[in-house]
Amino acid sequence: MIRIYLFLLLIITSCRELPSTAPDLIILHAHIWSDGMVLQADAISITNGHIDSLGNSGDLLKIKADHTQVIDVRGMFLYPGFIDSHVHFMDGGYNISSVQLRDASTKAEFINRIKAFALTIPKGQWIMGGDWNHELWGGTLPERNWIDSVTPDHPVSINRLDGHMILANSLAMKLAGINDQVKNIQGGEIPRDKKNQVIGIFKDNAVPLINKVIPPLNIQKEDQSLQAAMLYAASHGVTSVVNMGTFRDLEIFKRNKEKLITRIYTATPLAEWKTLEAYVKENGKGDDTLHWGLLKGFMDGSLGSHTAAMFEDFTDKPGDKGLLVNPLDSMKMWIIGGHLANLQIAVHAIGDRAISDYMDIVEQNVSATDIESSRFRIEHFQHPDSKDIHRIARLRMIPSMQPYHAIDDGCWAEKVIGPERIKSTYAFHSILKSRSYLAFGSDWPVAPADPILGIHAAVNRQTLDGKNPTGWIPEEKISVNDALLAYTHGGAYASYVEKKAGSIRPGYLADFVLLENDLITIPSDSIKYSKVLWTMMGGKKVYSLH
């Protein structure tokens, strides 16, 4: 039904007469993909940042004037600008200039990279970011005594790539007033060694014990981080992002409003729904470039940190079922409060219990009609029980997922939840088969904000360790068309902008990405090598490869 609707709508909206006035820009000789199909039109006219019309190159050239810019793409492949439906934009921008630990594969490499980075910054400056992955060196958690000797003058708070636990060194713990007598905290965990000493790892709700003493970035550094994030996104064909952030992020975006080259739909914390309600009453919900009205909350943590909330024990950790980050009564109060305030709700839920509990709250407290119109989002939806794959379709809730996580987690996830539960993990095909919408993103900086890699991951499911060349849980592979839809129209629908973005249609925003390859017809194992030639936002190039 979704495909039929898109096809009919595209036919209707494409059948418009040529504009009566000369456009600002004409794009010629393009292979144009939109809404699951390659269009017959090979040219687009654009005025004031919007698409005027679609047609053939010869006809559109007839309406150009002296002021009209003409771009001949010579048979290259034009797609709607990609929408990344889940990023942490400011963190990603900041991390570009921080220590890089994502691919550190041994203890020694981990330590040496931190040591080298510490030598490049002033004494006393915090070392943050990192995005380490302990699974790469066998699954042993790093400890503060690994890095204390190489960071005597720098407090350290570096996060695992999933963002759900950090490693702090002894100096950071001292600045935070934390010692071995610190008590565990609800919704978090502080691992200890055999002597009951804190090893320096802080999970989920324990993370703020350290991070609360980190000085805020100054305005210059904030603006630099935003600029770096936008340039990075544009280089990967991303024209719109959904930022899972804070009110501070919103202030930064508004301060830089005239400089934005990425459209941003920004979330604020679910627990602060009353603050957002008041803000919207006073300021509205923004415009095509920057808008708000989305609340982001947390049910649980992550699988890699063993903090995803599961119905049954972790296979590799008997007696441990993960944790709920917030009490269910609080989540219910915030979700329903935000919903009644006419705000969109997005909730992080990774484990099967977390997913089920969130869906229960919505189903038991909101009418079926209201659920569909309110577009409740489930962020990640990684490890649902199979029955909840069908329930999410029935309720018309939106799974907002990150396909790159599948080829990363697929290297180790089965040892954590076993061979049975793994069957419904990252179930892209089953979700679409159940007739759900699907919105794709990256969770950057947890994973690269690169839709090409995301499409490759969804289509091929080849894990990063090279051990699944024909695909990990291959029955959950999806087509390139469906992956593209999830990065375009699906992302637009999940953000309430499907009537102006996510498709190439007359009247829509002129946001495009030009690729050298036809992603649909090239061999699927070549997708990840495709290059973005240029990215356009509002009819203006914001990135060009050459």
Side-chain angles (χ1 to χ4, degrees), residues 92 94-104 109-110 113-114 117 127-132:
Y94 176 81
N95 283 6
I96 288 173
S97 61
S98 188
V99 61
Q100 305 297 309
L101 300 171
R102 179 181 296 274
D103 59 347
E109 186 177 10
F110 176 84
R113 288 193 190 184
I114 295 170
F117 183 79
I127 298 175
M128 299 183 292
D131 299 329
W132 48 269

Side-chain angles (χ1 to χ4, degrees), residues 106-380:
T106 66
K107 174 182 176 180
E109 186 177 10
F110 176 84
I111 295 169
N112 288 335
R113 288 193 190 184
I114 295 170
K115 177 182 179 180
F117 183 79
L119 295 173
T120 68
I121 60 175
K123 290 183 178 181
Q125 182 172 318
W126 281 77
I127 298 175
M128 299 183 292
D131 299 329
W132 48 269
N133 181 5
H134 61 299
E135 298 294 343
L136 294 181
W137 58 75
T140 301
L141 288 174
E143 301 185 12
R144 55 177 164 141
N145 60 24
W146 290 15
I147 61 172
D148 279 346
S149 65
V150 300
T151 57
D153 302 310
H154 298 89
V156 175
S157 174
I158 47 175
N159 53 271
R160 186 184 186 274
L161 56 82
D162 60 12
H164 287 269
M165 63 173 156
I166 62 167
L167 172 66
N169 66 353
S170 294
L171 179 55
M173 288 176 53
K174 180 180 178 181
L175 293 173
I178 294 174
N179 55 35
D180 293 328
Q181 282 68 54
V182 65
K183 296 180 180 179
N184 283 324
I185 189 166
Q186 183 177 4
E189 185 181 344
I190 306 173
R192 302 167 191 269
D193 61 18
K194 293 179 180 179
K195 297 180 180 179
N196 204 36
Q197 294 176 329
V198 175
I199 67 171
I201 292 290
F202 296 80
K203 299 185 180 183
D204 283 296
N205 283 354
V207 171
L209 294 176
I210 297 292
N211 286 356
K212 69 183 180 182
V213 299
I214 298 176
L217 299 180
N218 59 40
I219 288 177
Q220 181 182 16
K221 186 61 177 177
E222 287 176 336
D223 293 351
Q224 289 174 346
S225 296
L226 174 58
Q227 182 68 14
M230 292 191 296
L231 290 173
Y232 175 88
S235 73
H236 293 297
V238 174
T239 55
S240 300
V241 299
V242 181
N243 175 62
M244 302 300 171
T246 65
F247 281 99
R248 181 61 184 166
D249 290 351
L250 177 53
E251 291 177 16
I252 296 167
F253 301 150
K254 290 192 76 172
R255 184 173 71 235
N256 289 274
K257 175 75 185 312
E258 300 306 314
K259 301 177 183 178
L260 294 182
I261 60 171
T262 308
R263 301 189 195 278
I264 302 174
Y265 182 28
T266 190
T268 50
L270 176 63
E272 301 174 40
W273 68 269
K274 289 184 179 179
T275 303
L276 183 58
E277 179 186 30
Y279 188 88
V280 168
K281 286 180 179 178
E282 183 176 349
N283 301 281
K285 289 187 176 180
D287 57 25
D288 290 344
T289 304
L290 173 63
H291 64 124
W292 50 87
L294 178 67
L295 292 163
K296 163 71 182 306
F298 288 86
M299 292 297 299
D300 63 347
S302 73
L303 192 68
S305 297
H306 282 74
T307 54
M310 308 296 295
F311 283 120
E312 303 295 335
D313 294 353
F314 293 118
T315 304
D316 64 339
K317 203 172 180 183
D320 187 357
K321 293 181 172 66
L323 55 85
L324 292 174
V325 172
N326 294 295
L328 287 177
D329 287 346
S330 296
M331 288 300 293
K332 176 182 175 180
M333 179 176 63
W334 300 335
I335 290 167
I336 302 309
H339 165 67
L340 293 176
N342 195 32
L343 302 169
Q344 190 180 14
I345 309 297
V347 173
H348 166 122
I350 284 179
D352 52 15
R353 182 194 167 186
I355 290 168
S356 183
D357 284 350
Y358 172 39
M359 295 177 76
D360 285 347
I361 290 173
V362 174
E363 185 172 21
Q364 293 167 10
N365 294 278
V366 184
S367 71
T369 301
D370 212 7
I371 292 174
E372 181 169 3
S373 64
S374 300
R375 303 188 190 182
F376 286 88
R377 298 169 53 128
I378 301 185
E379 304 302 315
H380 308 305

Side-chain angles (χ1 to χ4, degrees), residues 445-479:
V446 179
D450 184 347
I452 299 297
L453 290 181
I455 292 167
H456 156 71
V459 171
N460 296 306
R461 296 180 71 100
Q462 297 168 336
T463 52
L464 298 178
D465 58 9
K467 294 181 179 180
N468 295 275
T470 60
W472 177 61
I473 319 177
E475 58 270 22
E476 292 299 345
K477 293 179 181 180
I478 60 174
S479 69

